[in-house]
Amino acid sequence: VVDAALAIVDEGGPSALSIRAVAGRLGVNPNAIYTYVASRAALEREVVEWVLADSDIAALGGPAPWRTRIVDYAVSLRESLLRHPAAALLMMTAPMNGPSALRVGEGVIEALVEAGVTQSDAARASYVLIVQVVGFTALEVAETDGTPPLAAESERITSRREALDPLDEAQWPRTAATKDVAAQWISTDQFIWSLDLLLDGLASRPIA
Amino acid sequence: VVDAALAIVDEGGPSALSIRAVAGRLGVNPNAIYTYVASRAALEREVVEWVLADSDIAALGGPAPWRTRIVDYAVSLRESLLRHPAAALLMMTAPMNGPSALRVGEGVIEALVEAGVTQSDAARASYVLIVQVVGFTALEVAETDGTPPLAAESERITSRREALDPLDEAQWPRTAATKDVAAQWISTDQFIWSLDLLLDGLASRPIA
DNA sequence: ACCTGAACACCGTTCAAGT
DNA sequence: ACCTGAACACCGTTCAAGT
């Protein structure tokens, strides 16, 4: 049921997800889908839940130091999203409140409390982290056609670099001087750098 | 032309934006729109550019200290997006590379260089900031119907708090203990807290 | 350059009816 | 519970033709 939706989304990209396409793949009339799902929006929630459940949530609870746990999990969530690129944008279209989202939230707060920040700062910071992870990946995916497998990261960086080439140095000196950095904005390096920046900011706060 | 698109998006929410709706509002056949815009995607880029141009980009270049300039501009961009809620999600559907986006990027890097970070860290951090601002606002808008004027922030927080009420304390102790904080995740307070966290992280780095 | 008319291949959702 | 059949009110985009 939801499997069909995922298959469609993976083959045809985000715009291909439709009630009618799912029905077609299952060899059934479009309205028959409404027996299993209330609306197209509900179907989208199911896809998001599936991808979130696919990420390595267990990594958040392991024996590793809190910082490693958070970064490893964030990387695993990004990887899950890149495997199902359409899901990245879908995650931004409704609050994340399914069962897997609750597990993730609980695990991140737990790890941050271990880090020594207050419980309420941990809750605030957990949201900053998920906004960053999901926002980063959604923007990354927006530059592709959305059908897996995506081009290798290095290829995507190269084509970004080429796109930045004709930039007017007189008008945008700072931007022009940092073309190579901007080309890498979608890289795993930049992703982890972002997380480290956030976590460094937390480390500079008063302790619980 | 683009004005009509904005009016439609403001009246009917994000899903109402369509070539046919714009044509209808202009009293013209659907395909006549293709004289002015190449595709629906291009129309969406125009809407994004309009809203970005509506934000107070000049605030980035003022005489205020660098940190104030950045925070003030981020707040102004969020406000512009909340005035045209459909644009928040549209900003995540394609790279931001219009003329206004270039002005913003240049201004943010400039401010960060003044703050004393290296030019390349400034470029990296500028992307972290825009991911946070746009991602935050897109998720915030996703909880509304997308038609302005949005409900007051306090009302939206209250209804979030109510939605969190039935949460199972035994299963999710940390999350349950921070319901009040999570209800405020969409607040201006949390927004500015996020930016401060990022900028504090930058302050803890080696200097240029 | 800017429009009309007609068409193609799609959408989500609802209703009534069947088994 | 789960499906069919038919319908309603939509989509983006293309082509050929007009002025």
Side-chain angles (χ1 to χ4, degrees):
Chain A
V1 202
V2 176
D3 287 353
L6 254 153
I8 286 162
V9 128
D10 283 353
E11 284 169 21
S15 60
L17 179 59
S18 73
I19 298 279
R20 292 183 110 102
V22 172
R25 170 171 278 259
L26 297 176
V28 96
N29 274 7
N31 48 2
I33 300 301
Y34 287 84
T35 303
Y36 305 94
V37 79
S39 67
R40 177 183 167 150
L43 178 62
E44 291 173 353
R45 289 315 94 205
E46 303 257 32
V47 171
V48 166
E49 172 59 25
W50 193 97
V51 173
L52 217 43
D54 181 59
S55 70
D56 186 17
I57 304 185
L60 276 174
W66 67 271
R67 195 167 179 131
T68 315
R69 301 213 303 276
I70 288 180
V71 173
D72 284 356
Y73 174 69
V75 168
S76 119
L77 176 53
R78 172 163 171 260
E79 284 169 356
S80 287
L81 289 170
L82 294 182
R83 270 195 297 274
H84 305 284
L89 186 60
L90 291 180
M91 292 205 70
M92 316 248 20
T93 61
M96 290 167 274
N97 47 17
S100 295
L102 280 170
R103 285 185 64 199
V104 171
E106 185 79 12
V108 172
I109 296 176
E110 185 69 39
L112 291 175
V113 167
E114 269 183 51
V117 304
T118 65
Q119 202 169 46
S120 96
D121 275 3
R124 295 185 103 131
S126 72
Y127 191 66
V128 182
L129 281 165
I130 77 104
V131 166
Q132 191 67 35
V133 169
V134 178
F136 181 100
T137 312
L139 278 171
E140 178 180 4
V141 164
E143 297 190 29
T144 74
D145 65 0
T147 66
L150 298 184
E153 192 174 291
S154 56
E155 289 178 39
R156 288 184 277 128
I157 291 170
T158 306
S159 74
R160 278 179 61 83
R161 184 60 186 79
E162 283 166 12
L164 286 166
D165 232 10
L167 213 139
D168 182 356
E169 305 194 23
Q171 202 174 3
W172 316 112
R174 298 291 188 187
T175 309
T178 53
K179 278 179 197 174
D180 290 323
V181 181
Q184 309 234 28
W185 276 348
I186 58 142
S187 68
T188 306
D189 251 27
Q190 165 86 22
F191 183 73
I192 292 175
W193 191 91
S194 308
L195 301 175
D196 279 333
L197 184 66
L198 286 170
L199 297 173
D200 287 350
L202 264 187
S204 75
R205 306 245 146 179
I207 283 315
Chain B
V1 202
V2 176
D3 287 354
L6 253 154
I8 285 162
V9 127
D10 284 353
E11 284 168 20
S15 61
L17 179 59
S18 74
I19 298 279
R20 293 182 108 102
V22 171
R25 171 171 277 261
L26 297 176
V28 97
N29 275 6
N31 48 1
I33 300 302
Y34 288 84
T35 304
Y36 304 96
V37 78
S39 66
R40 177 182 167 148
L43 177 62
E44 292 173 352
R45 290 313 95 205
E46 301 258 33
V47 170
V48 165
E49 172 60 24
W50 193 99
V51 172
L52 217 43
D54 179 59
S55 69
D56 186 18
I57 304 184
L60 276 174
W66 66 271
R67 195 166 178 132
T68 315
R69 300 213 303 274
I70 288 180
V71 173
D72 283 357
Y73 174 69
V75 168
S76 119
L77 175 52
R78 173 164 170 259
E79 284 168 356
S80 286
L81 289 170
L82 294 181
R83 270 195 298 272
H84 305 285
L89 186 60
L90 291 180
M91 292 206 68
M92 317 247 20
T93 60
M96 289 168 275
N97 48 16
S100 295
L102 280 170
R103 286 186 62 200
V104 171
E106 184 79 11
V108 171
I109 297 176
E110 183 69 40
L112 290 174
V113 167
E114 270 183 50
V117 304
T118 65
Q119 200 167 47
S120 98
D121 275 4
R124 294 186 103 130
S126 72
Y127 191 66
V128 182
L129 281 165
I130 78 104
V131 166
Q132 191 67 36
V133 169
V134 177
F136 180 101
T137 312
L139 278 171
E140 178 181 4
V141 163
E143 298 190 27
T144 73
D145 66 359
T147 65
L150 299 183
E153 192 174 291
S154 57
E155 288 177 40
R156 288 184 276 128
I157 292 170
T158 305
S159 74
R160 278 179 62 83
R161 184 61 186 77
E162 283 165 12
L164 287 166
D165 231 9
L167 213 140
D168 182 354
E169 305 193 24
Q171 203 174 2
W172 316 112
R174 298 290 187 188
T175 310
T178 52
K179 279 178 197 173
D180 290 323
V181 180
Q184 309 234 27
W185 276 347
I186 57 143
S187 68
T188 306
D189 251 28
Q190 166 85 23
F191 182 73
I192 292 174
W193 191 91
S194 308
L195 302 176
D196 279 334
L197 184 66
L198 287 170
L199 298 174
D200 287 351
L202 265 188
S204 74
R205 307 243 145 180
I207 282 315

